[in-house]
Amino acid sequence: DTGVSQDPRHKITKRGQNVTFRCDPISEHNRLYWYRQTLGQGPEFLTYFQNEAQLEKSRLLSDRFSAERPKGSFSTLEIQRTEQGDSAMYLCASSLLASGTDTQYFGPGTRLTVL
Amino acid sequence: AQKVTQAQTEISVVEKEDVTLDCVYETRDTTYYLFWYKQPPSGELVFLIRRNSFDEQNEISGRYSWNFQKSTSSFNFTITASQVVDSAVYFCALSEAEYGGSQGNLIFGKGTKLSVKP
């Protein structure tokens, strides 16, 4: 089994630009989560999908953020009009919804730097 | 409100020492899950263990052991005979159970950075 993959691994952008990140979950995992981690902190939940349905969004997910999972497989996270405060590691995790086995497995993350 | 507290920000030990990482959690739910993840310098979070709130049995996996005590809302992690490769940031996390018993999103502590020196 290949693990969760994320692309790109690093992204440097200028303030005001739009960026898009991609996450490919573990094959057959029907749940996909996005988290954000800033330096010295634990990851914070942003949103999650079950198949193609976005079931929950955190208050952290401002209007500039949008996530999709159009076919229930890979997901994209877009940030519009980036701000310096958006600089963080964006982590994706996937799990298989089944009793007792829906542990979340994480990808390597995309590190975003907004100049 | 749900919360996870890892009071130890950084711990430094010498190889072969035992070390315990503390985790205290808060939740109003009776059904919940607790986790430990390891984040080595490469950055990827590695799953270590998951416990549900009804199973207070301690667990041992090689040099790793976990002590879950509902009475004190703690889920501590001990590494026996530490090694340099154990150097990483360790996160404790909590998830409340959804309808049907599945886990929800994870609430993480701030992590404990463990440095094991040779």
Side-chain angles (χ1 to χ4, degrees), chain A residues 65-79:
Chain A
F65 288 68
S66 62
E68 294 183 342
R69 195 182 183 199
K71 297 181 179 179
S73 56
F74 73 91
S75 175
T76 58
L77 178 68
E78 181 184 17
I79 309 174

Side-chain angles (χ1 to χ4, degrees), chain A residues 31 35 37 40-43 45 48 56 91 97 100 102-104 106-108, chain B residues 35 37 39 42-45 47 50 91 98 102-106 108-110:
Chain A
R31 281 197 169 180
Y35 292 82
Q37 185 180 20
Q41 303 295 315
F45 168 74
Y48 89 92
E56 188 176 347
L91 296 165
L97 178 59
D102 53 346
T103 295
Q104 293 176 38
F106 284 80
Chain B
F35 304 80
Y37 283 85
Q39 190 172 43
S42 61
E44 186 163 343
L45 279 163
F47 167 74
R50 160 186 164 138
F91 290 97
E98 297 178 330
S102 61
Q103 75 168 76
N105 57 279
L106 295 168
F108 286 85
K110 292 188 175 183

Side-chain angles (χ1 to χ4, degrees), chain B residues 12-107:
Chain B
S12 182
V13 299
V14 176
E15 210 169 17
K16 297 184 183 177
E17 283 186 29
D18 298 347
V19 58
T20 295
L21 309 181
D22 298 333
C23 173
V24 173
Y25 63 92
E26 295 176 30
T27 179
R28 293 180 186 173
D29 278 17
T30 55
T31 304
Y32 52 89
Y33 302 95
L34 294 166
F35 304 80
W36 278 94
Y37 283 85
K38 174 182 180 180
Q39 190 172 43
S42 61
E44 186 163 343
L45 279 163
V46 178
F47 167 74
L48 295 178
I49 188 170
R50 160 186 164 138
R51 304 297 283 174
N52 74 53
S53 52
F54 297 109
D55 183 1
E56 283 192 76
Q57 201 168 16
N58 291 334
E59 181 154 340
I60 298 174
S61 176
R63 295 184 297 106
Y64 295 171
S65 62
W66 291 270
N67 182 351
F68 176 26
Q69 291 195 337
K70 285 178 79 170
S71 60
T72 55
S73 297
S74 66
F75 186 43
N76 297 337
F77 173 29
T78 297
I79 302 174
T80 303
S82 59
Q83 299 176 1
V84 172
V85 293
D86 295 328
S87 297
V89 180
Y90 291 86
F91 290 97
C92 180
L94 164 72
S95 170
E96 294 183 340
E98 297 178 330
Y99 179 76
S102 61
Q103 75 168 76
N105 57 279
L106 295 168
I107 296 155

